[in-house]
Amino acid sequence: VFLKKSNPLWSLFQKTGIVVFDADDISNLSFKEFAAPLTAEQVKSNIRNLSAEFSEERRLADLSKIINN
């Protein structure tokens, strides 16, 4: 995934260890570099971190904090 650093998801993904790439770097990449897939470990890590960050349990906990404040 390529995102601009100004995108709010950039800092969230960086904080949670999700591998993303800077969209501003696309013009400096060769097609081979642009199209190169993540390693198997990076894919597993992204799935694990995304699942934890956006799980139903997490959403309910965050919603509870908002409602109870």
Side-chain angles (χ1 to χ4, degrees):
V1 173
F2 285 87
L3 296 172
K4 292 218 172 251
K5 288 185 177 181
S6 60
N7 185 318
L9 290 175
W10 175 269
S11 59
L12 173 67
F13 288 170
Q14 290 292 302
K15 181 177 78 174
T16 57
I18 297 165
V19 178
V20 292
F21 301 97
D22 187 356
D24 290 332
D25 292 339
I26 292 173
S27 62
N28 299 323
L29 299 174
S30 68
F31 179 77
K32 184 177 180 179
E33 291 170 320
F34 175 77
L38 297 175
T39 66
E41 185 52 43
Q42 288 173 317
V43 171
K44 288 178 189 176
S45 176
N46 275 2
I47 291 170
R48 184 174 53 251
N49 292 339
L50 283 166
S51 294
E53 191 66 28
F54 296 104
S55 69
E56 183 175 354
E57 181 180 323
R58 176 70 184 264
R59 287 191 310 270
L60 291 174
D62 289 345
L63 183 58
S64 177
K65 286 179 190 176
I66 292 169
I67 292 172
N68 292 321
N69 283 335

